[in-house]
């Protein structure tokens, strides 16, 4: 098995890069892409663990692009150049995320929940601060009992403390990923909330014209039938087909995708064998 969409403590996952790779090895997963939000900080540690455990670590990242309907996330897979313009671009995205986090803290304060940014950042342990860290703070403060309640009441789109991100355009995300030598893949397309297969096909075709390389057709939360349809559209358009668990440690099963389907080795073929410059 392989897994082309995972997160670590460098963004909003629960496993350190070393723990993620060790778990992959224990499950018989021979290749895993580390795709933290707006950062490649966990790639070096993961590759070191991969060398010890016999797991091929694919350098990756997950970016969020501006989109009027649902959530448009883009994976960068098979990155080969992690410095220069690519690193500078990620730093700008992290600064944008930090500004959004501070706005959300202000919204919470207006709701009677006070916390400073240092307290929130402590949950990320030096990684990228994201909404799951807000959720943990709310749980620890006993304002909610679970991650689900935290998102439903405060953090999800339209909830009491939610603030939209100053997200870059899709073209900018694709340009940034290509500057790092990677392939740009639309992540979990069901979150696009496009209302028909025709609209989905038209969107993928339009985005291919902007440089999109592929689609994460197989993803957690979608049915196998839906995933096969995404894959068929992607292949008909000449796009790569990817598969991932979106593993965070609290949702998704490593190496498994829609309805617990094993992620077969062939999905990783376009992204293997890349030399990474760190």
């Amino acid at each position: 098995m392989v897994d082309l969409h995972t997160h670590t403590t460098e963004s909003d996952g629960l496993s350190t890069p070393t723990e993620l790779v060790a778990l992959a090895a224990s499950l018989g997963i021979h290749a895993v892409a580390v795709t933290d939000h707006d950062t490649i900080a966990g790639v070096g540690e993961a590759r070191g663990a991969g060398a010890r455990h016999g797991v091929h670590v694919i350098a990756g990242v997950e970016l969020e692009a501006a989109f009027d309907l649902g959530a448009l996330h883009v994976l960068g897979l098979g990155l080969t150049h992690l410095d220069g313009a690519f690193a500078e671009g990620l730093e700008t995205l992290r600064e944008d995320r930090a500004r959004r986090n501070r706005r959300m803290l202000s919204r919470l304060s207006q709701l009677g929940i006070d916390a400073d940014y240092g307290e929130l950042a402590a949950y990320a342990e030096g990684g990228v601060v994201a909404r799951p860290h807000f959720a943990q703070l709310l749980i620890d403060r006993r304002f909610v009992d679970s991650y689900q309640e935290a998102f439903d009441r405060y953090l999800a789109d339209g909830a009491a403390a939610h603030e939209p991100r100053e997200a870059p355009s899709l073209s900018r995300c694709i340009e940034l990923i290509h500057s790092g030598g990677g392939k740009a893949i639309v992540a979990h397309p069901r979150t696009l909330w496009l209302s028909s297969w025709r609209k989905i096909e038209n969107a993928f075709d339009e985005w291919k014209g902007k440089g999109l390389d592929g689609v994460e057709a197989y993803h957690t939360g979608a049915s196998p039938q839906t995933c096969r349809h995404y894959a068929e559209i992607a292949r008909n358009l000449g796009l790569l087909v990817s598969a991932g668990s979106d593993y965070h440690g609290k949702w998704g099963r490593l190496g498994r995708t829609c309805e617990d389907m094993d992620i077969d080795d062939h999905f990783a073929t376009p992204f293997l064998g890349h030399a990474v410059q760190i």
Side-chain angles (χ1 to χ4, degrees):
M1 294 188 295
V2 298
D3 198 327
L4 299 177
H5 189 168
T6 71
H7 297 275
T8 77
T9 49
E10 292 298 334
S11 63
D12 56 351
L14 293 183
S15 302
T16 67
T18 296
E19 290 168 345
L20 174 75
V21 172
L23 176 59
S26 73
L27 295 172
I29 296 169
H30 80 87
V32 62
V34 175
T35 54
D36 282 314
H37 297 281
D38 301 341
T39 183
I40 42 81
V43 169
E45 179 184 334
R47 284 174 63 83
R52 296 191 297 274
H53 290 282
V55 175
H56 186 108
V57 173
I58 297 167
V61 71
E62 184 172 7
L63 309 179
E64 181 178 356
F67 192 58
D68 290 337
L69 296 174
L72 174 51
H73 289 201
V74 188
L75 298 174
L77 295 179
L79 298 166
T80 58
H81 296 81
L82 307 186
D83 54 6
F86 177 73
E88 292 171 5
L90 290 187
E91 178 61 28
T92 297
L93 296 183
R94 289 193 293 273
E95 291 170 354
D96 291 342
R97 182 183 287 272
R99 284 192 290 270
R100 183 256 199 134
N101 288 338
R102 293 183 186 280
R103 293 197 304 271
M104 289 181 66
L105 277 177
S106 178
R107 291 283 293 271
L108 285 173
S109 178
Q110 294 168 16
L111 295 168
I113 304 171
D114 290 321
D116 61 38
Y117 200 81
E119 182 181 1
L120 177 65
Y123 286 96
E125 298 181 347
V128 174
V129 177
R131 282 186 289 177
H133 303 122
F134 280 88
Q136 190 60 58
L137 183 148
L138 290 168
I139 292 169
D140 290 350
R141 292 282 200 87
R142 301 178 184 268
F143 286 101
V144 298
D145 294 324
S146 67
Y147 278 92
Q148 189 62 55
E149 184 183 0
F151 273 83
D152 289 345
R153 290 179 58 186
Y154 297 103
L155 306 174
D157 293 1
H162 180 263
E163 282 282 336
R165 278 194 67 190
E166 301 167 3
S169 68
L170 175 62
S171 294
R172 175 55 182 150
C173 290
I174 292 171
E175 176 188 31
L176 184 57
I177 289 166
H178 286 173
S179 75
K183 302 290 187 183
I185 311 293
V186 170
H188 41 67
R190 73 186 181 89
T191 64
L192 297 170
W193 295 110
L194 292 171
S195 58
S196 71
W197 287 112
R198 174 61 65 185
K199 289 182 178 180
I200 290 167
E201 182 174 4
N202 289 343
F204 289 171
D205 192 27
E206 176 188 347
W207 297 342
K208 179 183 177 183
K210 297 177 184 292
L212 185 73
D213 298 296
V215 175
E216 187 185 46
Y218 293 88
H219 54 283
T220 302
S223 70
Q225 180 181 5
T226 296
C227 292
R228 286 193 292 269
H229 205 151
Y230 285 131
E232 180 182 12
I233 291 172
R235 291 190 181 103
N236 287 342
L237 292 172
L239 294 167
L240 296 172
V241 174
S242 183
S245 66
D246 200 4
Y247 178 79
H248 285 70
K250 48 189 169 288
W251 60 78
R253 287 186 65 195
L254 198 63
R256 305 293 181 91
T257 187
C258 59
E259 292 194 359
D260 216 31
M261 183 185 86
D262 289 355
I263 304 174
D264 189 79
D265 290 10
H266 78 271
F267 286 110
T269 301
F271 314 110
L272 293 173
H274 295 275
V276 179
Q277 297 178 7
I278 300 178

Short mmCIF file of all heavy atoms in Angstrom, two decimals, residues 41-76:
data_model
loop_
_atom_site.label_atom_id
_atom_site.label_comp_id
_atom_site.label_asym_id
_atom_site.label_seq_id
_atom_site.Cartn_x
_atom_site.Cartn_y
_atom_site.Cartn_z
N ALA A 41 8.09 21.49 6.56
CA ALA A 41 9.01 21.36 7.69
C ALA A 41 9.18 19.94 8.17
O ALA A 41 10.21 19.59 8.76
CB ALA A 41 8.54 22.25 8.85
N GLY A 42 8.20 19.08 7.96
CA GLY A 42 8.30 17.70 8.43
C GLY A 42 8.96 16.74 7.46
O GLY A 42 9.21 15.57 7.81
N VAL A 43 9.27 17.20 6.26
CA VAL A 43 9.78 16.29 5.23
C VAL A 43 11.14 15.72 5.59
O VAL A 43 11.41 14.52 5.44
CB VAL A 43 9.82 16.99 3.86
CG1 VAL A 43 10.59 16.15 2.84
CG2 VAL A 43 8.41 17.27 3.36
N GLY A 44 12.05 16.56 6.07
CA GLY A 44 13.39 16.09 6.40
C GLY A 44 13.37 15.01 7.47
O GLY A 44 14.02 13.96 7.33
N GLU A 45 12.64 15.26 8.57
CA GLU A 45 12.53 14.26 9.63
C GLU A 45 11.89 12.97 9.11
O GLU A 45 12.34 11.86 9.44
CB GLU A 45 11.71 14.81 10.79
CG GLU A 45 11.53 13.83 11.94
CD GLU A 45 10.62 14.36 13.03
OE1 GLU A 45 10.51 15.59 13.20
OE2 GLU A 45 10.00 13.52 13.74
N ALA A 46 10.84 13.12 8.31
CA ALA A 46 10.16 11.94 7.77
C ALA A 46 11.07 11.13 6.87
O ALA A 46 11.07 9.89 6.91
CB ALA A 46 8.91 12.37 7.00
N ARG A 47 11.89 11.80 6.06
CA ARG A 47 12.80 11.07 5.17
C ARG A 47 13.87 10.32 5.97
O ARG A 47 14.28 9.22 5.60
CB ARG A 47 13.44 12.03 4.17
CG ARG A 47 12.46 12.41 3.06
CD ARG A 47 13.03 13.48 2.14
NE ARG A 47 14.22 13.00 1.44
CZ ARG A 47 14.17 12.27 0.32
NH1 ARG A 47 13.01 11.95 -0.21
NH2 ARG A 47 15.28 11.89 -0.27
N GLY A 48 14.31 10.93 7.08
CA GLY A 48 15.25 10.23 7.94
C GLY A 48 14.64 8.97 8.52
O GLY A 48 15.27 7.90 8.56
N ALA A 49 13.38 9.08 8.99
CA ALA A 49 12.68 7.92 9.51
C ALA A 49 12.42 6.90 8.42
O ALA A 49 12.49 5.69 8.64
CB ALA A 49 11.36 8.36 10.16
N GLY A 50 12.13 7.40 7.22
CA GLY A 50 11.89 6.50 6.10
C GLY A 50 13.11 5.65 5.75
O GLY A 50 12.99 4.47 5.44
N ALA A 51 14.29 6.27 5.85
CA ALA A 51 15.52 5.52 5.60
C ALA A 51 15.71 4.40 6.61
O ALA A 51 16.21 3.32 6.29
CB ALA A 51 16.71 6.48 5.62
N ARG A 52 15.31 4.64 7.86
CA ARG A 52 15.45 3.62 8.91
C ARG A 52 14.41 2.52 8.79
O ARG A 52 14.68 1.36 9.10
CB ARG A 52 15.34 4.28 10.29
CG ARG A 52 16.45 5.26 10.61
CD ARG A 52 16.45 5.66 12.07
NE ARG A 52 15.23 6.37 12.46
CZ ARG A 52 15.04 7.67 12.33
NH1 ARG A 52 15.99 8.42 11.79
NH2 ARG A 52 13.91 8.23 12.73
N HIS A 53 13.22 2.88 8.34
CA HIS A 53 12.11 1.92 8.31
C HIS A 53 11.83 1.33 6.93
O HIS A 53 10.94 0.48 6.79
CB HIS A 53 10.82 2.60 8.81
CG HIS A 53 10.82 2.91 10.27
ND1 HIS A 53 10.57 1.95 11.23
CD2 HIS A 53 11.03 4.08 10.94
CE1 HIS A 53 10.62 2.51 12.43
NE2 HIS A 53 10.90 3.80 12.28
N GLY A 54 12.55 1.77 5.92
CA GLY A 54 12.32 1.24 4.58
C GLY A 54 11.05 1.78 3.94
O GLY A 54 10.41 1.08 3.14
N VAL A 55 10.69 3.02 4.25
CA VAL A 55 9.50 3.66 3.68
C VAL A 55 9.95 4.82 2.80
O VAL A 55 10.73 5.67 3.24
CB VAL A 55 8.55 4.18 4.79
CG1 VAL A 55 7.38 4.95 4.18
CG2 VAL A 55 8.05 3.03 5.64
N HIS A 56 9.46 4.86 1.57
CA HIS A 56 9.79 5.96 0.66
C HIS A 56 8.91 7.15 1.02
O HIS A 56 7.68 7.07 1.00
CB HIS A 56 9.54 5.56 -0.79
CG HIS A 56 10.00 6.57 -1.79
ND1 HIS A 56 11.08 6.41 -2.60
CD2 HIS A 56 9.51 7.80 -2.10
CE1 HIS A 56 11.25 7.46 -3.37
NE2 HIS A 56 10.30 8.32 -3.08
N VAL A 57 9.53 8.28 1.38
CA VAL A 57 8.79 9.48 1.74
C VAL A 57 8.76 10.44 0.54
O VAL A 57 9.80 10.84 0.03
CB VAL A 57 9.41 10.18 2.96
CG1 VAL A 57 8.74 11.53 3.22
CG2 VAL A 57 9.28 9.29 4.19
N ILE A 58 7.55 10.76 0.12
CA ILE A 58 7.34 11.69 -0.98
C ILE A 58 7.13 13.09 -0.40
O ILE A 58 6.27 13.28 0.46
CB ILE A 58 6.11 11.28 -1.82
CG1 ILE A 58 6.34 9.91 -2.45
CG2 ILE A 58 5.80 12.32 -2.89
CD1 ILE A 58 5.09 9.28 -3.03
N ALA A 59 7.93 14.03 -0.84
CA ALA A 59 7.81 15.40 -0.34
C ALA A 59 6.55 16.05 -0.91
O ALA A 59 6.34 16.06 -2.13
CB ALA A 59 9.04 16.22 -0.73
N GLY A 60 5.72 16.59 -0.01
CA GLY A 60 4.48 17.20 -0.47
C GLY A 60 4.06 18.36 0.39
O GLY A 60 4.70 18.71 1.39
N VAL A 61 2.94 18.96 0.01
CA VAL A 61 2.37 20.09 0.75
C VAL A 61 0.90 20.17 0.38
O VAL A 61 0.48 19.65 -0.67
CB VAL A 61 3.10 21.41 0.37
CG1 VAL A 61 2.76 21.86 -1.04
CG2 VAL A 61 2.84 22.52 1.38
N GLU A 62 0.08 20.80 1.22
CA GLU A 62 -1.31 21.08 0.89
C GLU A 62 -1.56 22.57 1.02
O GLU A 62 -1.26 23.17 2.05
CB GLU A 62 -2.27 20.31 1.80
CG GLU A 62 -3.74 20.52 1.40
CD GLU A 62 -4.71 19.63 2.15
OE1 GLU A 62 -4.28 18.92 3.08
OE2 GLU A 62 -5.90 19.64 1.79
N LEU A 63 -2.11 23.15 -0.05
CA LEU A 63 -2.41 24.58 -0.10
C LEU A 63 -3.91 24.77 -0.28
O LEU A 63 -4.60 23.91 -0.82
CB LEU A 63 -1.67 25.25 -1.27
CG LEU A 63 -0.17 24.99 -1.39
CD1 LEU A 63 0.39 25.70 -2.62
CD2 LEU A 63 0.56 25.44 -0.13
N GLU A 64 -4.41 25.92 0.17
CA GLU A 64 -5.82 26.27 -0.03
C GLU A 64 -5.90 27.42 -1.01
O GLU A 64 -5.24 28.45 -0.83
CB GLU A 64 -6.48 26.65 1.29
CG GLU A 64 -7.95 27.00 1.14
CD GLU A 64 -8.63 27.35 2.45
OE1 GLU A 64 -7.97 27.25 3.50
OE2 GLU A 64 -9.82 27.73 2.43
N ALA A 65 -6.73 27.25 -2.05
CA ALA A 65 -6.91 28.29 -3.06
C ALA A 65 -8.25 28.98 -2.88
O ALA A 65 -9.21 28.39 -2.38
CB ALA A 65 -6.83 27.68 -4.46
N ALA A 66 -8.33 30.22 -3.29
CA ALA A 66 -9.58 30.97 -3.24
C ALA A 66 -10.61 30.29 -4.14
O ALA A 66 -10.30 29.90 -5.27
CB ALA A 66 -9.35 32.41 -3.69
N PHE A 67 -11.84 30.16 -3.63
CA PHE A 67 -12.91 29.50 -4.38
C PHE A 67 -14.25 29.98 -3.84
O PHE A 67 -14.44 30.05 -2.62
CB PHE A 67 -12.77 27.97 -4.24
CG PHE A 67 -13.62 27.19 -5.19
CD1 PHE A 67 -13.50 27.35 -6.56
CD2 PHE A 67 -14.55 26.27 -4.72
CE1 PHE A 67 -14.28 26.61 -7.44
CE2 PHE A 67 -15.33 25.52 -5.59
CZ PHE A 67 -15.19 25.69 -6.95
N ASP A 68 -15.19 30.27 -4.71
CA ASP A 68 -16.44 30.90 -4.30
C ASP A 68 -17.43 29.93 -3.66
O ASP A 68 -18.29 30.36 -2.89
CB ASP A 68 -17.11 31.57 -5.49
CG ASP A 68 -16.36 32.80 -5.98
OD1 ASP A 68 -15.60 33.37 -5.17
OD2 ASP A 68 -16.52 33.17 -7.16
N LEU A 69 -17.32 28.64 -3.97
CA LEU A 69 -18.33 27.69 -3.49
C LEU A 69 -17.84 26.95 -2.25
O LEU A 69 -18.00 27.41 -1.14
CB LEU A 69 -18.70 26.73 -4.62
CG LEU A 69 -19.37 27.39 -5.83
CD1 LEU A 69 -19.58 26.39 -6.95
CD2 LEU A 69 -20.69 28.04 -5.44
N GLY A 70 -17.22 25.78 -2.45
CA GLY A 70 -16.73 25.00 -1.32
C GLY A 70 -15.27 25.30 -1.03
O GLY A 70 -14.81 26.44 -1.16
N ALA A 71 -14.55 24.26 -0.64
CA ALA A 71 -13.14 24.38 -0.31
C ALA A 71 -12.30 23.79 -1.44
O ALA A 71 -12.49 22.63 -1.81
CB ALA A 71 -12.84 23.66 1.00
N LEU A 72 -11.40 24.58 -1.98
CA LEU A 72 -10.50 24.14 -3.05
C LEU A 72 -9.10 24.01 -2.47
O LEU A 72 -8.41 25.01 -2.25
CB LEU A 72 -10.54 25.13 -4.21
CG LEU A 72 -9.55 24.90 -5.36
CD1 LEU A 72 -9.63 23.47 -5.88
CD2 LEU A 72 -9.80 25.90 -6.49
N HIS A 73 -8.70 22.77 -2.20
CA HIS A 73 -7.36 22.49 -1.68
C HIS A 73 -6.54 21.82 -2.77
O HIS A 73 -7.07 21.04 -3.57
CB HIS A 73 -7.43 21.59 -0.45
CG HIS A 73 -7.99 22.27 0.75
ND1 HIS A 73 -7.76 21.82 2.04
CD2 HIS A 73 -8.73 23.40 0.90
CE1 HIS A 73 -8.35 22.62 2.90
NE2 HIS A 73 -8.95 23.58 2.23
N VAL A 74 -5.26 22.13 -2.79
CA VAL A 74 -4.36 21.61 -3.82
C VAL A 74 -3.16 20.96 -3.17
O VAL A 74 -2.47 21.58 -2.36
CB VAL A 74 -3.89 22.74 -4.77
CG1 VAL A 74 -3.13 22.14 -5.96
CG2 VAL A 74 -5.06 23.58 -5.26
N LEU A 75 -2.93 19.70 -3.50
CA LEU A 75 -1.74 19.00 -3.04
C LEU A 75 -0.60 19.24 -4.01
O LEU A 75 -0.79 19.21 -5.23
CB LEU A 75 -2.00 17.49 -2.95
CG LEU A 75 -3.07 17.02 -1.97
CD1 LEU A 75 -3.30 15.52 -2.14
CD2 LEU A 75 -2.70 17.35 -0.55
N GLY A 76 0.59 19.45 -3.47
CA GLY A 76 1.80 19.43 -4.27
C GLY A 76 2.54 18.13 -3.97
O GLY A 76 2.96 17.92 -2.83
#
